[in-house]
Structure formats: structure tokens, C-alpha cells
């Protein structure tokens, strides 16, 4: 959450930072701000509420500069106001900084500073960092003041700092990502690479417990624990600027939905030796867990089913935020399989840290292979989905389903069959990702657009797809969408069904079909309107969204009409499907 960009170099810092922040808007879009340092060392700042996407250079009202820092915010401490927007000055206005993360002990630090006479202008934890630096600065050079401040902070964060009159930019990382991009005579620091990929693909990754000082457009790296020099390796990343663009599509979400035929096919490109090795580890493990958040948690739940059905293994799926309640069951014989698109999700990182303390091996099913989680995991299966910029996860989810399925087939000892089936499914996705199908989904969206509630039912492998469907509909349409295992209906939720309540029923061509159709009939008998998704039309369906018959892998295709439905509902309701209210793409706070 929150995006940071800093720049030092011969070009206009305002333009580089503004452009970079626009690429990071997926990390938060409550408010934004930029501070630059003039040739004479004077700090100037502009901040505002709202999205930075539509801000132009003329709106900035800042004079040209060679270095600066910027921020796009997802509010944690303090409401969405200009006063709470970053960058924050210290009390004497000599230190200015941006933060991505949370200072958990900010209350205690603030009290101490207040006793020393500091006055705070915002409700944020970030202003506390700025004033702590100012306080240390009375006795120490800036770099040492930043280092000592970082050691005082509890929680996960990353900061970038500038000081009036100096020529340095200093950044430090403890739990939130920071990447340093270098081009001839210029340096970028950002929360994610797309912020500067148009200018360079040469980067240094900052690790937790490290800081970087940029002077004369040259970065130098230091340890936060003792301030000593650390060596960092320069890496060339394989990300192309155009992959992060939306091209001719109206939104990233629809572009990413449409890419799924290719991304599903790419997801099966896994290192066979590693698949076999991890499959063997799964076979011999005891007390293993699948861990993720949000849509990735629903992928983990699907993993629970596919490992049971295909691999004949029991693995527990737990939401990362709840994992600590089960961590007592970890032993060195356990495995942890984590699923994450961004690779930066705070709750997942915390679960991994717990696992590592117990000597548990961690396997990551990840999109961002240079992320924090990728570097913490012992084995990484890249899902190869390419940059996913819409907050709602679509192509990453289906790629994660594919990798999970392949891993289950590897446990069964039949990787070739898993690949064959998945490649076939990827081809059949074409039937759903075309304008004609899109028009039909739109009609259903028009029928649903005024509804306040919609329920989604599934059985077996479609229970986690029902969960994923509820997440997609909630975040894009803002309709109350809730999923149930269909068999649970008459144990309570059936009481919610009245005349014309819309109920989406996910079906396949498998052993669960007869039962779920009976459940649909029970709903219809109470006035519910049934929107069936599946390969075959059943009499009970009032509306039918056809999907190809892919046998046991129905989850791979059933989610596509839901993604399209959510997108169309969002558009019909005038929502921005790429930026759902209150959310951010990368959830780096607990
Ligand atoms: O980056 P991650 O996969 O770890 O993110 C996990 C969730 O925050 C994410 O899936 C979220 O639920 C999406 N907005 C769902 O579309």
C-alpha cells in the first residue's frame, strides 16, 4: 500500500516523479504529494487529495528541480485530507519524507517528541518519523539520523528522505519494498519497477535492514544495523514498458481478463525437476499449509481440493491473517505453500517468517519473482502472468489455479497429463473471451445492476470459485455478494432468499452436478432467480452462462464469466473497475 518514487539526475525531477507515481497508483489512490529540492537546496512541496492519474505538470505549481520525492497514498493513520497526505515535513521544515508502511509504536514515539516540544500538524505516523529524524539530526549527520530513526520504528515500512541544503536522498527499507533503478547520471528509488521502467531496467533491490544514500546520482548501500557499507548486485530485469500499459483497452481489468488464454498457457511452463522435487516434498511432508490473502486465499482453498482430489494429499488452507492461530502445528516436517501475485502482502510475509523460525520450507506460487516473498521462499513457481495492474486480480488468479493444478498432478506423478489438460483448457478459454460472449454477459449485468444482494453457490472445487466470485463482485460492483457451499444452504442462508433474489450457481460436469442442481431448485422454489454457469443448460436455470466442458477442471473456466460480469457491473454503475474504492493492489500493511 502507498507508492513511493524518488529521483535524482539531470532531468526534470517533477516530470519523472509525476510519471512514476501514475504507474504506482494501483498501490493507493486516496491522495498524493511531491516535494522537490531547488538548485539552492530549498524544499518545496505540493499535496492534494484524490487520484494522481489526472494530475498534469501544470497542476504541480512547483519549480523545476534535479531531485525530489513523491507519494501516492492509501490511508492508514489519519483520514484522507491534504494535511495527512505525504510528503511530511519535520517541525523545522528541514526534513521531508515519504513512507510506505506503518509505524506500530508511533503513539509512544509521538508522546516523547511532544514532551520535547514537537508540535504535529497531521494525524499520521509518518510525521513522527520526520520529527524523530530532526531530533537525531541535532547530534548526527543525516545518514546516521535516518539509521537511528529506523531502528526506533516498530512495524514494516520503507521511507525516502531529503533534507534542505543537502544533496543527498536517503532511503531505508524494513518490510516494505524499495527498488533502486540506475541509468547514466540518474537514479530512481521506487516501490515497484514500472515507476521507472521507461528509463531503465537496471536495478538494485534493497533488502530489509538496508539503506541507500544517493549523491551525485550515485547510490551507495549501507546496513541499518551498524551503518557499515553493504555490497549490492546490479540486476537487469526483464520487464518491458509496454507490458505495463493498457493499450487500446478501456481499463487494465478488461485487458488482463482478455489475456488469460495466453497467461494460462504460460503458467504451465514450469521447471519439471523442481515440480518433481516439490511434489516429493509434499508427499513426505506432514502438517502442511497453503497460505494467502483475498483472492490468493481462495486459490489456496482450491489447492486444498485439488491436492485432495488429484494428488490424494491433505493440505490445510488458511488465510494468512489467521495463520498465527495454527502456527503451533508447524514442525520441521511441515511445508508452507504461499500464493501471492504481488509477493509483498504483509500477512503472508509474517506467516513465512513464523514458518522459517520453525525450519519449515516455503514454496511460493508468485507473479512477482523479485518480490520480498520470492526472496524469502525456498522454491518459487513463477506464474508468468506479466504485470497485473488492475486492483482486482484476474489473470494472476487463473495462472495460480493452473500452477496449483500442475503441482497436484506432479504429486500424482503425472505432470504430462496435468500440462496437457491445462493447455487444452487455455485453448478453450477463447470461447469466453470474445465480444459476442461479452455482449451476453452485459445483458445479465443489466439485469443485476440494481440488486443489493447476490449469492453464489458452488460444490467441491467450485466452492473456492464461489468465494472468488464474491470477492470480484464486491470489489468491482459494490453489490453485497456472498458465497456458500451449496450444501450449507438449508442450514441457514436459505432464509435470505425471497422473490427475485439473484443466485449464481456454479456447475461442472462432475459428481457434484446432480446435488447442486437440486440446491438450485430449492432456491427457485423460494422465488430465487437462478443464473447458472456451466457447460450444460439445466431446466432450473433462468439465465445460463455457457462455459466449455473441461471435466474436472471446471474451476479454470467458471471464473471467467464472473470476472466479465463484475467488470460490466462496475462499468454500468459508473465505478472505475481498475481502482475500487478503499482498496489497493499491494497490501503491505497488516
Ligand atoms: O498480491 P497478493 O496476491 O498477495 O494479494 C492478495 C489480495 O490482496 C488480493 O488477491 C486481493 O484480494 C485482490 N484485490 C482480489 O481481486
Amino acid at each position: 500500500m502507498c507508492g513511493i518514487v524518488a529521483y535524482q539526475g539531470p532531468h526534470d525531477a517533477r516530470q519523472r516523479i509525476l510519471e512514476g507515481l501514475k504507474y504506482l497508483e494501483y498501490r493507493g489512490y486516496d491522495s498524493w504529494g511531491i516535494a522537490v529540492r531547488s538548485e539552492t537546496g530549498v524544499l518545496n512541496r505540493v499535496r492534494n487529495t484524490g487520484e494522481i492519474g489526472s494530475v498534469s505538470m501544470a497542476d504541480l505549481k512547483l519549480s523545476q528541480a534535479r531531485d525530489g520525492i513523491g507519494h501516492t497514498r492509501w490511508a492508514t493513520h489519519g483520514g484522507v485530507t491534504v494535511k495527512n497526505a505525504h510528503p511530511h515535513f519535520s517541525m523545522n521544515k528541514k526534513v521531508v519524507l515519504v513512507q510506505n508502511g506503518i509505524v506500530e509504536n508511533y503513539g509512544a514515539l509521538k508522546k516523547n517528541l511532544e514532551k520535547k516540544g514537537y508540535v504535529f500538524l497531521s494525524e499520521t505516523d509518518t510525521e513522527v518519523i520526520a520529527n524523530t529524524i530532526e531530533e537525531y539530526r541535532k547530534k548526527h549527520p543525516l545518514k546516521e539520523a535516518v539509521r537511528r530513526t529506523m531502528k526506533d520504528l516498530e512495524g514494516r515500512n520503507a521511507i525516502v528522505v531529503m533534507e534542505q541544503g543537502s544533496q543527498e536522498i536517503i532511503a531505508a527499507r524494513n518490510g516494505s519494498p524499495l527498488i533502486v533503478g540506475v541509468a547514466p547520471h540518474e537514479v530512481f528509488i521506487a516501490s515497484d519497477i514500472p515507476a521507472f521502467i521507461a528509463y531503465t531496467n537496471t536495478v538494485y533491490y534493497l533488502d530489509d535492514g538496508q539503506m541507500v544514500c544517493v549523491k551525485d546520482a550515485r547510490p551507495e548501500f549501507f546496513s541499518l544495523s551498524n551503518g557499515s557499507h553493504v555490497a549490492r548486485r546490479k540486476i537487469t530485469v526483464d520487464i518491458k514498458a509496454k507490458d505495463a500499459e493498457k493499450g487500446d483497452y478501456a481499463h487494465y481489468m478488461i485487458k488482463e481478463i482478455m489475456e488469460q488464454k495466453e497467461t494460462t498457457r504460460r503458467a504451465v511452463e514450469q521447471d519439471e525437476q523442481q515440480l518433481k522435487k516439490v511434489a516429493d516434498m509434499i508427499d513426505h511432508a506432514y502438517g502442511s499449509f497453503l497460505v494467502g490473502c483475498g483472492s490468493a486465499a481462495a486459490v489456496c482453498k482450491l489447492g486444498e481440493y485439488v491436492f485432495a482430489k488429484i494428488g490424494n494429499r491433505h493440505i490445510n488452507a488458511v488465510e494468512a491473517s489467521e495463520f498465527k492461530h495454527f502456527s503451533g502445528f508447524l514442525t520441521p516436517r511441515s511445508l508452507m505453500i504461499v500464493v501471492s501475485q504481488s509477493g509483498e502482502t504483509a500477512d503472508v510475509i509474517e506467516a513465512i517468517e513464523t514458518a522459517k523460525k520453525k525450519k519449515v520450507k516455503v514454496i511460493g506460487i508468485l507473479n512477482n519473482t523479485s518480490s520480498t516473498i520470492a526472496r524469502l521462499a525456498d522454491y518459487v513457481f513463477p506464474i508468468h502472468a506479466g504485470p497485473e495492474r488492475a486492483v482486482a486480480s484476474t489473470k494472476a488468479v487463473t495462472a495460480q489455479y493452473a500452477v496449483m493444478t500442475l503441482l497436484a498432478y506432479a504429486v500424482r506423478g503425472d505432470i504430462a497429463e496435468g500440462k496437457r489438460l491445462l493447455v487444452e483448457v487455455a485453448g478453450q478459454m477463447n470461447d469466453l473471451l470474445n465480444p459476442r460472449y461479452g455482449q451476453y454477459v452485459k445483458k445479465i449485468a443489466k439485469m443485476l445492476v440494481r440488486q443489493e444482494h447476490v449469492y453464489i453457490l458452488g460444490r467441491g472445487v467450485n466452492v473456492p470459485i464461489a468465494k472468488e466470485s464474491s470477492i470480484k463482485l464486491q470489489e468491482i460492483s459494490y453489490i453485497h455478494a456472498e458465497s456458500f457451499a451449496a450444501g450449507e444452504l438449508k442450514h441457514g442462508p436459505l432464509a435470505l432468499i425471497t422473490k427475485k433474489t439473484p443466485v449464481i450457481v456454479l456447475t461442472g460436469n462432475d459428481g457434484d452436478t446432480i446435488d447442486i442442481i437440486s440446491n438450485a431448485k430449492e432456491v427457485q422454489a423460494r422465488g430465487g432467480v437462478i443464473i447458472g454457469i456451466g457447460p450444460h443448460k439445466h431446466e432450473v436455470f433462468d439465465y445460463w452462462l455457457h462455459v466449455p466442458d473441461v471435466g474436472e477442471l471446471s474451476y479454470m473456466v467458471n471464473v471467467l464469466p464472473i470476472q466479465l460480469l463484475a467488470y460490466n457491473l462496475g462499468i454500468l454503475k459508473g465505478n472505475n473497475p481498475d481502482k475500487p474504492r478503499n482498496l489497493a493492489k499491494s497490501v503491505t500493511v497488516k
Side-chain angles (χ1 to χ4, degrees), residues 293-296 339-343 345 391-393 471-472 475 585 587:
C293 292
S295 286
V339 180
S340 176
Q341 188 284 130
S342 64
T345 304
V391 167
S393 194
I471 298 174
K472 273 314 76 91
E475 62 187 339
K585 180 82 180 153
V587 184

Side-chain angles (χ1 to χ4, degrees), residues 65-93:
R66 298 276 176 252
D67 55 13
I69 59 180
H71 189 267
T72 178
R73 180 173 187 240
W74 187 86
T76 56
H77 294 69
V80 181
T81 62
V82 174
K83 266 190 185 170
N84 289 333
H86 301 214
H88 286 280
F89 275 120
S90 66
M91 195 172 74
N92 68 8
K93 299 267 184 296

Side-chain angles (χ1 to χ4, degrees), residues 1-7 14 16-36 45-53 55 60 62 68-77 81-82 84-88 96-102 124-126 129 157-160 176 178 189-191 588-589:
M1 336 216 77
C2 301
I4 293 176
V5 185
Y7 175 80
R14 300 169 306 174
R16 293 289 202 264
I17 293 169
L18 178 62
E19 192 179 316
L21 286 177
K22 289 184 182 185
Y23 277 102
L24 295 189
E25 215 182 0
Y26 71 88
R27 304 179 70 90
Y29 31 84
D30 293 337
S31 52
W32 58 273
I34 295 176
V36 293
R45 171 182 72 175
V46 60
R47 301 181 295 174
N48 217 334
T49 53
E51 301 176 1
I52 196 160
V55 175
L60 291 184
L62 286 173
I69 59 180
H71 189 267
T72 178
R73 180 173 187 240
W74 187 86
T76 56
H77 294 69
T81 62
V82 174
N84 289 333
H86 301 214
H88 286 280
V96 69
L97 72 82
V98 290
Q99 183 207 189
N100 169 23
I102 280 190
T124 66
D125 51 351
T126 307
I129 311 178
N157 44 45
I159 61 171
V160 187
S176 298
L178 272 186
I189 303 171
S191 309
T588 55
V589 295

Side-chain angles (χ1 to χ4, degrees), residues 141-177:
L142 181 63
K143 185 181 123 224
E144 182 58 13
V146 171
R147 190 185 77 79
R148 285 177 186 248
T149 299
M150 283 300 282
K151 292 193 68 136
D152 286 352
L153 308 182
E154 287 168 19
R156 295 178 183 280
N157 44 45
I159 61 171
V160 187
V161 187
M162 287 197 309
E163 192 184 44
Q164 181 177 305
S166 113
Q167 289 168 347
E168 289 169 315
I169 296 181
I170 298 184
R173 167 182 173 151
N174 206 2
S176 298

